[in-house]
Amino acid sequence: YHGGYSRPNKPVNELVSLEIIKHLLGLSDEQLEHAYLFDFRVRNALGKETLGDNICAKTFTNFRRRLMEFEEETGRDLLHEVFEDHRSYLQEEFEIDASTQRMDSTFIEANIKQLSRIDLIAKVVYNFLDDLPDEIVHELPAGMDEFAEAENLELSYELEPGEVDSTMETLVEHTAWLVERFADDQEYAERVSFAHLQQVLDEQCYRIGELEDDELDSEEYTDDDDHPGDPPSPGWEPIRNFTSPENETDQAGAETRQSEETDSDQEDRVGLKEPDEISSNSMQNPHDVDATYRRKGNESHCGYKTNVAETCDGDNPFRLITTIRIDTNNTDDGDLLAEDVAELPAETGLTDLLVDGGYTHKEVESCCDDHGITQHFTGLTGQPPSEEKLSLAEAEWDGHRMVACPAGHEPFEQRYMESGRISGRMDSEFCDGCPLQESCFVTEKQQFYSYGFDERSVKLAHRRKRMDDPAEEEFLNLRAGAESLVNEVYHQDGEKTRFTGTIKVKNASIAKAIGTNLKRASRFLESEAQRKQSTG
């Protein structure tokens, strides 16, 4: 019951079930509301036998908001816990062998427009100006009003090529001036639009303190009781001093007299960073500040990345999705896998995981080994070794110790460093005249032959050798279905999410994964019923 109004609320199990149905069938909230009221299939799925109760679309949005707020406050992902409960139930009920699983990742495009740099700055300036009362906007320096009039500023399309730089400079000036002007005004400084203004300024521009450190070390600064410690940051300053329209005339003469000396001093106080200096974590659009930028091949992506795994043993009644994780699209595949390394073996019995070369990650591979997970790679990143050189896998190894070289001889001295560096020495009587000498990985010295490489190089060599094994190659073919999994969960409905923010995008994906598992189980039960009916 609601604590403030003392009236019944919708049961949580109904709301979770409706979220699953919504994302499984790709319904809007309006369509979901209609289905709840009039579709007997939906009501039957909820365990309802009659019509009569009502629901409104705001109930759905309020529920999602509470889920998001709860996760932000406590760190608990309640919907993922529901996914885990469903997974455990289905695995036990249908006796699914989850020891072999395949995993893949894909990009989820954010539900935002990809903005150019100039349009991004114009957008955050407009949003903040739109939050200000009209009387304050009218008192702002001349020129800012043009960015307060139209929300859909598309300067990258409207401007001539020669106008872009000067307009960008003006926008940066406005941004710096607004941050300086309202930073201490609590009423406006606590607004989201002001936070976005500051964020874009920090991410896209240089702070004055980074450019004029010498000024902070001047004799004017004193370290006293009022100013202990390091010199204070000067904050942002505009390139030019702006004046409100009514003061323009009075100060015109002063500005003219000071222009020559101030222009040179202030021109570089706020400078734009070079494109390669801007982090991929930087804001792409204020409509969704969690979305990040990623370039893969010749394509640019703005949004999120999902990592999903399923069982792939052919003897199972159906494929079961075992995990689904969502993060920003600049997150490494290995980092997404790391979230499940400890859970999947314990909860599902995972022992063999089929992945592509994007999951090669030194620390995660070590963690997989610790939890009994053998990774099977369908490809490896990086340049393969020269075919003219012997593979390190041709030697016999016991961990990081070489038992015998490719010709069958043991080193007379070996060393293993904590950094993972392996080195050793071979007796010259074995290497001189050896038929493998020219292609071997050893190097001739005055009194012996030596070798040295990282332990990871040995692991990669064994991995490449195993991939060439026909039996392993046949086993790796099981991973081919991972792309159909991604297509079933995402691309049938389009690759762009309907939601903004990591938690909302994640919850939508989890609900879809739960629904996909239930749909697969339902299809199996239906086929079994038809088979029994046909066999009498």
Side-chain angles (χ1 to χ4, degrees), residues 134-145 174 177-178 181-182 238 240-253 255:
D134 291 340
E135 57 269 23
I136 293 182
V137 174
H138 292 153
E139 295 176 356
L140 293 178
M144 288 191 188
D145 54 341
H174 290 330
W177 190 92
L178 289 169
R181 163 64 177 81
F182 292 97
R240 295 193 300 267
N241 290 323
F242 285 100
T243 59
S244 57
E246 58 269 23
N247 293 330
E248 279 186 343
T249 303
D250 296 340
Q251 297 192 5
E255 288 181 357

PDB file of all heavy atoms in Angstrom, residues 134-145 174 177-178 181-182 238 240-253 255:
ATOM      1  N   ASP A 134      12.908  34.994 -18.317  1.00  0.00           N
ATOM      2  CA  ASP A 134      13.066  35.916 -19.440  1.00  0.00           C
ATOM      3  C   ASP A 134      13.766  37.203 -19.030  1.00  0.00           C
ATOM      4  O   ASP A 134      14.578  37.755 -19.789  1.00  0.00           O
ATOM      5  CB  ASP A 134      11.698  36.250 -20.042  1.00  0.00           C
ATOM      6  CG  ASP A 134      11.081  35.052 -20.754  1.00  0.00           C
ATOM      7  OD1 ASP A 134      11.844  34.120 -21.097  1.00  0.00           O
ATOM      8  OD2 ASP A 134       9.859  35.065 -20.970  1.00  0.00           O
ATOM      9  N   GLU A 135      13.465  37.679 -17.818  1.00  0.00           N
ATOM     10  CA  GLU A 135      14.073  38.951 -17.417  1.00  0.00           C
ATOM     11  C   GLU A 135      15.594  38.822 -17.253  1.00  0.00           C
ATOM     12  O   GLU A 135      16.339  39.776 -17.497  1.00  0.00           O
ATOM     13  CB  GLU A 135      13.446  39.457 -16.112  1.00  0.00           C
ATOM     14  CG  GLU A 135      13.534  38.485 -14.933  1.00  0.00           C
ATOM     15  CD  GLU A 135      12.314  37.575 -14.844  1.00  0.00           C
ATOM     16  OE1 GLU A 135      11.649  37.385 -15.896  1.00  0.00           O
ATOM     17  OE2 GLU A 135      12.051  37.050 -13.745  1.00  0.00           O
ATOM     18  N   ILE A 136      16.065  37.658 -16.858  1.00  0.00           N
ATOM     19  CA  ILE A 136      17.520  37.466 -16.754  1.00  0.00           C
ATOM     20  C   ILE A 136      18.138  37.312 -18.131  1.00  0.00           C
ATOM     21  O   ILE A 136      19.210  37.844 -18.413  1.00  0.00           O
ATOM     22  CB  ILE A 136      17.840  36.236 -15.870  1.00  0.00           C
ATOM     23  CG1 ILE A 136      17.415  36.504 -14.427  1.00  0.00           C
ATOM     24  CG2 ILE A 136      19.322  35.890 -15.926  1.00  0.00           C
ATOM     25  CD1 ILE A 136      17.740  35.374 -13.464  1.00  0.00           C
ATOM     26  N   VAL A 137      17.459  36.574 -19.012  1.00  0.00           N
ATOM     27  CA  VAL A 137      17.973  36.386 -20.376  1.00  0.00           C
ATOM     28  C   VAL A 137      18.127  37.726 -21.078  1.00  0.00           C
ATOM     29  O   VAL A 137      19.106  37.967 -21.789  1.00  0.00           O
ATOM     30  CB  VAL A 137      17.046  35.452 -21.183  1.00  0.00           C
ATOM     31  CG1 VAL A 137      17.508  35.375 -22.638  1.00  0.00           C
ATOM     32  CG2 VAL A 137      17.028  34.062 -20.569  1.00  0.00           C
ATOM     33  N   HIS A 138      17.171  38.645 -20.851  1.00  0.00           N
ATOM     34  CA  HIS A 138      17.217  39.944 -21.513  1.00  0.00           C
ATOM     35  C   HIS A 138      18.382  40.798 -21.024  1.00  0.00           C
ATOM     36  O   HIS A 138      18.815  41.722 -21.718  1.00  0.00           O
ATOM     37  CB  HIS A 138      15.908  40.694 -21.289  1.00  0.00           C
ATOM     38  CG  HIS A 138      14.740  40.066 -21.990  1.00  0.00           C
ATOM     39  ND1 HIS A 138      13.446  40.198 -21.551  1.00  0.00           N
ATOM     40  CD2 HIS A 138      14.688  39.261 -23.083  1.00  0.00           C
ATOM     41  CE1 HIS A 138      12.631  39.515 -22.349  1.00  0.00           C
ATOM     42  NE2 HIS A 138      13.376  38.942 -23.292  1.00  0.00           N
ATOM     43  N   GLU A 139      18.897  40.487 -19.837  1.00  0.00           N
ATOM     44  CA  GLU A 139      20.016  41.248 -19.288  1.00  0.00           C
ATOM     45  C   GLU A 139      21.370  40.639 -19.642  1.00  0.00           C
ATOM     46  O   GLU A 139      22.409  41.191 -19.292  1.00  0.00           O
ATOM     47  CB  GLU A 139      19.895  41.330 -17.763  1.00  0.00           C
ATOM     48  CG  GLU A 139      18.681  42.111 -17.289  1.00  0.00           C
ATOM     49  CD  GLU A 139      18.541  42.083 -15.775  1.00  0.00           C
ATOM     50  OE1 GLU A 139      19.351  41.388 -15.125  1.00  0.00           O
ATOM     51  OE2 GLU A 139      17.632  42.755 -15.256  1.00  0.00           O
ATOM     52  N   LEU A 140      21.363  39.514 -20.321  1.00  0.00           N
ATOM     53  CA  LEU A 140      22.617  38.844 -20.673  1.00  0.00           C
ATOM     54  C   LEU A 140      23.341  39.623 -21.758  1.00  0.00           C
ATOM     55  O   LEU A 140      22.744  40.447 -22.459  1.00  0.00           O
ATOM     56  CB  LEU A 140      22.339  37.422 -21.152  1.00  0.00           C
ATOM     57  CG  LEU A 140      21.788  36.458 -20.099  1.00  0.00           C
ATOM     58  CD1 LEU A 140      21.497  35.089 -20.718  1.00  0.00           C
ATOM     59  CD2 LEU A 140      22.751  36.298 -18.927  1.00  0.00           C
ATOM     60  N   PRO A 141      24.650  39.407 -21.912  1.00  0.00           N
ATOM     61  CA  PRO A 141      25.421  40.119 -22.943  1.00  0.00           C
ATOM     62  C   PRO A 141      24.826  39.967 -24.324  1.00  0.00           C
ATOM     63  O   PRO A 141      24.178  38.960 -24.649  1.00  0.00           O
ATOM     64  CB  PRO A 141      26.792  39.447 -22.855  1.00  0.00           C
ATOM     65  CG  PRO A 141      26.882  38.961 -21.457  1.00  0.00           C
ATOM     66  CD  PRO A 141      25.491  38.525 -21.100  1.00  0.00           C
ATOM     67  N   ALA A 142      25.052  40.944 -25.147  1.00  0.00           N
ATOM     68  CA  ALA A 142      24.520  40.953 -26.506  1.00  0.00           C
ATOM     69  C   ALA A 142      25.060  39.755 -27.294  1.00  0.00           C
ATOM     70  O   ALA A 142      26.217  39.378 -27.173  1.00  0.00           O
ATOM     71  CB  ALA A 142      24.918  42.250 -27.206  1.00  0.00           C
ATOM     72  N   GLY A 143      24.205  39.159 -28.069  1.00  0.00           N
ATOM     73  CA  GLY A 143      24.599  38.031 -28.911  1.00  0.00           C
ATOM     74  C   GLY A 143      24.149  36.688 -28.387  1.00  0.00           C
ATOM     75  O   GLY A 143      24.033  35.726 -29.145  1.00  0.00           O
ATOM     76  N   MET A 144      23.902  36.605 -27.073  1.00  0.00           N
ATOM     77  CA  MET A 144      23.488  35.323 -26.511  1.00  0.00           C
ATOM     78  C   MET A 144      22.048  34.999 -26.860  1.00  0.00           C
ATOM     79  O   MET A 144      21.651  33.839 -26.869  1.00  0.00           O
ATOM     80  CB  MET A 144      23.663  35.310 -24.992  1.00  0.00           C
ATOM     81  CG  MET A 144      25.092  35.235 -24.525  1.00  0.00           C
ATOM     82  SD  MET A 144      25.212  34.895 -22.758  1.00  0.00           S
ATOM     83  CE  MET A 144      26.976  35.103 -22.498  1.00  0.00           C
ATOM     84  N   ASP A 145      21.263  36.040 -27.112  1.00  0.00           N
ATOM     85  CA  ASP A 145      19.839  35.820 -27.345  1.00  0.00           C
ATOM     86  C   ASP A 145      19.583  34.957 -28.576  1.00  0.00           C
ATOM     87  O   ASP A 145      18.593  34.226 -28.647  1.00  0.00           O
ATOM     88  CB  ASP A 145      19.101  37.146 -27.474  1.00  0.00           C
ATOM     89  CG  ASP A 145      19.725  38.048 -28.532  1.00  0.00           C
ATOM     90  OD1 ASP A 145      20.891  37.812 -28.890  1.00  0.00           O
ATOM     91  OD2 ASP A 145      19.035  38.974 -28.989  1.00  0.00           O
ATOM     92  N   HIS A 174      30.487  32.342 -24.813  1.00  0.00           N
ATOM     93  CA  HIS A 174      29.212  32.364 -24.096  1.00  0.00           C
ATOM     94  C   HIS A 174      29.206  31.320 -22.976  1.00  0.00           C
ATOM     95  O   HIS A 174      28.753  31.581 -21.861  1.00  0.00           O
ATOM     96  CB  HIS A 174      28.066  32.079 -25.060  1.00  0.00           C
ATOM     97  CG  HIS A 174      27.793  33.174 -26.037  1.00  0.00           C
ATOM     98  ND1 HIS A 174      28.025  34.496 -25.755  1.00  0.00           N
ATOM     99  CD2 HIS A 174      27.299  33.142 -27.318  1.00  0.00           C
ATOM    100  CE1 HIS A 174      27.683  35.245 -26.799  1.00  0.00           C
ATOM    101  NE2 HIS A 174      27.251  34.444 -27.754  1.00  0.00           N
ATOM    102  N   TRP A 177      31.431  32.381 -20.110  1.00  0.00           N
ATOM    103  CA  TRP A 177      30.832  33.518 -19.395  1.00  0.00           C
ATOM    104  C   TRP A 177      29.684  33.049 -18.513  1.00  0.00           C
ATOM    105  O   TRP A 177      29.554  33.476 -17.364  1.00  0.00           O
ATOM    106  CB  TRP A 177      30.349  34.550 -20.408  1.00  0.00           C
ATOM    107  CG  TRP A 177      29.937  35.865 -19.776  1.00  0.00           C
ATOM    108  CD1 TRP A 177      30.711  36.969 -19.579  1.00  0.00           C
ATOM    109  CD2 TRP A 177      28.644  36.174 -19.236  1.00  0.00           C
ATOM    110  NE1 TRP A 177      29.998  37.951 -18.964  1.00  0.00           N
ATOM    111  CE2 TRP A 177      28.709  37.496 -18.727  1.00  0.00           C
ATOM    112  CE3 TRP A 177      27.443  35.481 -19.125  1.00  0.00           C
ATOM    113  CZ2 TRP A 177      27.634  38.126 -18.126  1.00  0.00           C
ATOM    114  CZ3 TRP A 177      26.366  36.117 -18.526  1.00  0.00           C
ATOM    115  CH2 TRP A 177      26.458  37.418 -18.036  1.00  0.00           C
ATOM    116  N   LEU A 178      28.827  32.175 -19.022  1.00  0.00           N
ATOM    117  CA  LEU A 178      27.679  31.694 -18.257  1.00  0.00           C
ATOM    118  C   LEU A 178      28.117  30.890 -17.032  1.00  0.00           C
ATOM    119  O   LEU A 178      27.537  31.022 -15.945  1.00  0.00           O
ATOM    120  CB  LEU A 178      26.781  30.836 -19.151  1.00  0.00           C
ATOM    121  CG  LEU A 178      25.987  31.592 -20.233  1.00  0.00           C
ATOM    122  CD1 LEU A 178      25.355  30.613 -21.214  1.00  0.00           C
ATOM    123  CD2 LEU A 178      24.919  32.478 -19.592  1.00  0.00           C
ATOM    124  N   ARG A 181      29.434  33.368 -14.537  1.00  0.00           N
ATOM    125  CA  ARG A 181      28.383  34.246 -14.011  1.00  0.00           C
ATOM    126  C   ARG A 181      27.487  33.527 -13.017  1.00  0.00           C
ATOM    127  O   ARG A 181      27.095  34.104 -11.989  1.00  0.00           O
ATOM    128  CB  ARG A 181      27.562  34.782 -15.198  1.00  0.00           C
ATOM    129  CG  ARG A 181      26.208  35.365 -14.850  1.00  0.00           C
ATOM    130  CD  ARG A 181      26.292  36.592 -13.973  1.00  0.00           C
ATOM    131  NE  ARG A 181      24.975  37.140 -13.721  1.00  0.00           N
ATOM    132  CZ  ARG A 181      24.121  36.684 -12.804  1.00  0.00           C
ATOM    133  NH1 ARG A 181      24.478  35.652 -12.030  1.00  0.00           N
ATOM    134  NH2 ARG A 181      22.949  37.249 -12.648  1.00  0.00           N
ATOM    135  N   PHE A 182      27.134  32.255 -13.270  1.00  0.00           N
ATOM    136  CA  PHE A 182      26.131  31.593 -12.434  1.00  0.00           C
ATOM    137  C   PHE A 182      26.697  30.517 -11.510  1.00  0.00           C
ATOM    138  O   PHE A 182      25.936  29.824 -10.841  1.00  0.00           O
ATOM    139  CB  PHE A 182      25.060  30.975 -13.334  1.00  0.00           C
ATOM    140  CG  PHE A 182      24.211  31.975 -14.056  1.00  0.00           C
ATOM    141  CD1 PHE A 182      24.500  32.333 -15.365  1.00  0.00           C
ATOM    142  CD2 PHE A 182      23.146  32.586 -13.425  1.00  0.00           C
ATOM    143  CE1 PHE A 182      23.728  33.260 -16.044  1.00  0.00           C
ATOM    144  CE2 PHE A 182      22.367  33.526 -14.088  1.00  0.00           C
ATOM    145  CZ  PHE A 182      22.661  33.871 -15.405  1.00  0.00           C
ATOM    146  N   PRO A 238      35.964  34.346 -19.850  1.00  0.00           N
ATOM    147  CA  PRO A 238      35.612  34.464 -21.274  1.00  0.00           C
ATOM    148  C   PRO A 238      36.769  35.025 -22.083  1.00  0.00           C
ATOM    149  O   PRO A 238      37.662  35.677 -21.555  1.00  0.00           O
ATOM    150  CB  PRO A 238      34.429  35.434 -21.264  1.00  0.00           C
ATOM    151  CG  PRO A 238      34.643  36.234 -20.021  1.00  0.00           C
ATOM    152  CD  PRO A 238      35.260  35.316 -19.018  1.00  0.00           C
ATOM    153  N   ARG A 240      36.374  37.308 -24.375  1.00  0.00           N
ATOM    154  CA  ARG A 240      36.148  38.749 -24.367  1.00  0.00           C
ATOM    155  C   ARG A 240      35.218  39.099 -23.213  1.00  0.00           C
ATOM    156  O   ARG A 240      34.400  38.288 -22.787  1.00  0.00           O
ATOM    157  CB  ARG A 240      35.505  39.209 -25.687  1.00  0.00           C
ATOM    158  CG  ARG A 240      36.403  39.020 -26.894  1.00  0.00           C
ATOM    159  CD  ARG A 240      35.845  39.790 -28.091  1.00  0.00           C
ATOM    160  NE  ARG A 240      34.517  39.330 -28.452  1.00  0.00           N
ATOM    161  CZ  ARG A 240      34.296  38.383 -29.367  1.00  0.00           C
ATOM    162  NH1 ARG A 240      35.304  37.774 -29.945  1.00  0.00           N
ATOM    163  NH2 ARG A 240      33.068  38.026 -29.677  1.00  0.00           N
ATOM    164  N   ASN A 241      35.348  40.318 -22.728  1.00  0.00           N
ATOM    165  CA  ASN A 241      34.438  40.783 -21.693  1.00  0.00           C
ATOM    166  C   ASN A 241      33.129  41.210 -22.332  1.00  0.00           C
ATOM    167  O   ASN A 241      33.114  42.083 -23.192  1.00  0.00           O
ATOM    168  CB  ASN A 241      35.045  41.974 -20.931  1.00  0.00           C
ATOM    169  CG  ASN A 241      36.202  41.542 -20.065  1.00  0.00           C
ATOM    170  OD1 ASN A 241      36.158  40.458 -19.492  1.00  0.00           O
ATOM    171  ND2 ASN A 241      37.228  42.379 -19.977  1.00  0.00           N
ATOM    172  N   PHE A 242      32.008  40.586 -21.887  1.00  0.00           N
ATOM    173  CA  PHE A 242      30.712  40.917 -22.457  1.00  0.00           C
ATOM    174  C   PHE A 242      30.015  41.967 -21.597  1.00  0.00           C
ATOM    175  O   PHE A 242      30.253  42.082 -20.399  1.00  0.00           O
ATOM    176  CB  PHE A 242      29.816  39.677 -22.522  1.00  0.00           C
ATOM    177  CG  PHE A 242      30.207  38.741 -23.606  1.00  0.00           C
ATOM    178  CD1 PHE A 242      30.966  37.607 -23.331  1.00  0.00           C
ATOM    179  CD2 PHE A 242      29.840  38.980 -24.915  1.00  0.00           C
ATOM    180  CE1 PHE A 242      31.325  36.747 -24.326  1.00  0.00           C
ATOM    181  CE2 PHE A 242      30.202  38.124 -25.925  1.00  0.00           C
ATOM    182  CZ  PHE A 242      30.940  36.999 -25.631  1.00  0.00           C
ATOM    183  N   THR A 243      29.129  42.700 -22.218  1.00  0.00           N
ATOM    184  CA  THR A 243      28.323  43.676 -21.495  1.00  0.00           C
ATOM    185  C   THR A 243      26.881  43.492 -21.884  1.00  0.00           C
ATOM    186  O   THR A 243      26.568  42.999 -22.964  1.00  0.00           O
ATOM    187  CB  THR A 243      28.749  45.117 -21.854  1.00  0.00           C
ATOM    188  OG1 THR A 243      28.596  45.303 -23.259  1.00  0.00           O
ATOM    189  CG2 THR A 243      30.203  45.376 -21.465  1.00  0.00           C
ATOM    190  N   SER A 244      25.987  43.865 -21.007  1.00  0.00           N
ATOM    191  CA  SER A 244      24.571  43.799 -21.322  1.00  0.00           C
ATOM    192  C   SER A 244      24.244  44.895 -22.326  1.00  0.00           C
ATOM    193  O   SER A 244      24.956  45.892 -22.443  1.00  0.00           O
ATOM    194  CB  SER A 244      23.732  43.979 -20.054  1.00  0.00           C
ATOM    195  OG  SER A 244      24.046  45.194 -19.428  1.00  0.00           O
ATOM    196  N   PRO A 245      23.137  44.736 -23.079  1.00  0.00           N
ATOM    197  CA  PRO A 245      22.815  45.700 -24.143  1.00  0.00           C
ATOM    198  C   PRO A 245      22.749  47.140 -23.677  1.00  0.00           C
ATOM    199  O   PRO A 245      23.220  48.048 -24.379  1.00  0.00           O
ATOM    200  CB  PRO A 245      21.450  45.215 -24.645  1.00  0.00           C
ATOM    201  CG  PRO A 245      21.439  43.747 -24.320  1.00  0.00           C
ATOM    202  CD  PRO A 245      22.197  43.616 -23.048  1.00  0.00           C
ATOM    203  N   GLU A 246      22.191  47.374 -22.480  1.00  0.00           N
ATOM    204  CA  GLU A 246      22.024  48.754 -22.065  1.00  0.00           C
ATOM    205  C   GLU A 246      23.351  49.415 -21.689  1.00  0.00           C
ATOM    206  O   GLU A 246      23.455  50.632 -21.612  1.00  0.00           O
ATOM    207  CB  GLU A 246      21.059  48.842 -20.861  1.00  0.00           C
ATOM    208  CG  GLU A 246      21.527  48.029 -19.640  1.00  0.00           C
ATOM    209  CD  GLU A 246      20.954  46.625 -19.692  1.00  0.00           C
ATOM    210  OE1 GLU A 246      20.606  46.165 -20.803  1.00  0.00           O
ATOM    211  OE2 GLU A 246      20.852  45.988 -18.617  1.00  0.00           O
ATOM    212  N   ASN A 247      24.389  48.622 -21.447  1.00  0.00           N
ATOM    213  CA  ASN A 247      25.679  49.191 -21.082  1.00  0.00           C
ATOM    214  C   ASN A 247      26.653  49.234 -22.250  1.00  0.00           C
ATOM    215  O   ASN A 247      27.794  49.655 -22.096  1.00  0.00           O
ATOM    216  CB  ASN A 247      26.313  48.384 -19.946  1.00  0.00           C
ATOM    217  CG  ASN A 247      25.525  48.526 -18.651  1.00  0.00           C
ATOM    218  OD1 ASN A 247      24.905  49.557 -18.420  1.00  0.00           O
ATOM    219  ND2 ASN A 247      25.550  47.485 -17.817  1.00  0.00           N
ATOM    220  N   GLU A 248      26.183  48.738 -23.416  1.00  0.00           N
ATOM    221  CA  GLU A 248      27.094  48.671 -24.554  1.00  0.00           C
ATOM    222  C   GLU A 248      27.613  50.044 -24.958  1.00  0.00           C
ATOM    223  O   GLU A 248      28.797  50.237 -25.203  1.00  0.00           O
ATOM    224  CB  GLU A 248      26.389  48.013 -25.746  1.00  0.00           C
ATOM    225  CG  GLU A 248      26.372  46.501 -25.651  1.00  0.00           C
ATOM    226  CD  GLU A 248      25.795  45.888 -26.914  1.00  0.00           C
ATOM    227  OE1 GLU A 248      25.142  46.617 -27.693  1.00  0.00           O
ATOM    228  OE2 GLU A 248      26.005  44.700 -27.124  1.00  0.00           O
ATOM    229  N   THR A 249      26.706  51.002 -25.014  1.00  0.00           N
ATOM    230  CA  THR A 249      27.087  52.337 -25.473  1.00  0.00           C
ATOM    231  C   THR A 249      28.081  52.979 -24.514  1.00  0.00           C
ATOM    232  O   THR A 249      29.073  53.572 -24.923  1.00  0.00           O
ATOM    233  CB  THR A 249      25.839  53.228 -25.614  1.00  0.00           C
ATOM    234  OG1 THR A 249      24.923  52.589 -26.506  1.00  0.00           O
ATOM    235  CG2 THR A 249      26.231  54.589 -26.149  1.00  0.00           C
ATOM    236  N   ASP A 250      27.798  52.864 -23.200  1.00  0.00           N
ATOM    237  CA  ASP A 250      28.651  53.496 -22.198  1.00  0.00           C
ATOM    238  C   ASP A 250      30.061  52.937 -22.216  1.00  0.00           C
ATOM    239  O   ASP A 250      31.027  53.632 -21.941  1.00  0.00           O
ATOM    240  CB  ASP A 250      28.046  53.319 -20.800  1.00  0.00           C
ATOM    241  CG  ASP A 250      26.709  54.041 -20.700  1.00  0.00           C
ATOM    242  OD1 ASP A 250      26.464  54.950 -21.519  1.00  0.00           O
ATOM    243  OD2 ASP A 250      25.916  53.678 -19.806  1.00  0.00           O
ATOM    244  N   GLN A 251      30.160  51.651 -22.501  1.00  0.00           N
ATOM    245  CA  GLN A 251      31.466  51.030 -22.395  1.00  0.00           C
ATOM    246  C   GLN A 251      32.152  50.878 -23.745  1.00  0.00           C
ATOM    247  O   GLN A 251      33.255  50.328 -23.820  1.00  0.00           O
ATOM    248  CB  GLN A 251      31.332  49.652 -21.744  1.00  0.00           C
ATOM    249  CG  GLN A 251      30.802  49.729 -20.323  1.00  0.00           C
ATOM    250  CD  GLN A 251      30.940  48.393 -19.593  1.00  0.00           C
ATOM    251  OE1 GLN A 251      31.508  47.462 -20.130  1.00  0.00           O
ATOM    252  NE2 GLN A 251      30.445  48.343 -18.384  1.00  0.00           N
ATOM    253  N   ALA A 252      31.502  51.343 -24.821  1.00  0.00           N
ATOM    254  CA  ALA A 252      32.083  51.165 -26.144  1.00  0.00           C
ATOM    255  C   ALA A 252      33.463  51.804 -26.230  1.00  0.00           C
ATOM    256  O   ALA A 252      34.408  51.222 -26.774  1.00  0.00           O
ATOM    257  CB  ALA A 252      31.162  51.755 -27.219  1.00  0.00           C
ATOM    258  N   GLY A 253      33.566  53.042 -25.682  1.00  0.00           N
ATOM    259  CA  GLY A 253      34.854  53.722 -25.766  1.00  0.00           C
ATOM    260  C   GLY A 253      35.939  53.001 -25.004  1.00  0.00           C
ATOM    261  O   GLY A 253      37.069  52.868 -25.468  1.00  0.00           O
ATOM    262  N   GLU A 255      36.053  49.854 -24.297  1.00  0.00           N
ATOM    263  CA  GLU A 255      36.412  48.610 -24.977  1.00  0.00           C
ATOM    264  C   GLU A 255      37.351  48.889 -26.138  1.00  0.00           C
ATOM    265  O   GLU A 255      38.281  48.138 -26.410  1.00  0.00           O
ATOM    266  CB  GLU A 255      35.160  47.899 -25.480  1.00  0.00           C
ATOM    267  CG  GLU A 255      34.343  47.284 -24.360  1.00  0.00           C
ATOM    268  CD  GLU A 255      33.111  46.574 -24.900  1.00  0.00           C
ATOM    269  OE1 GLU A 255      32.894  46.616 -26.128  1.00  0.00           O
ATOM    270  OE2 GLU A 255      32.384  45.985 -24.088  1.00  0.00           O
TER     271      GLU A 255
END
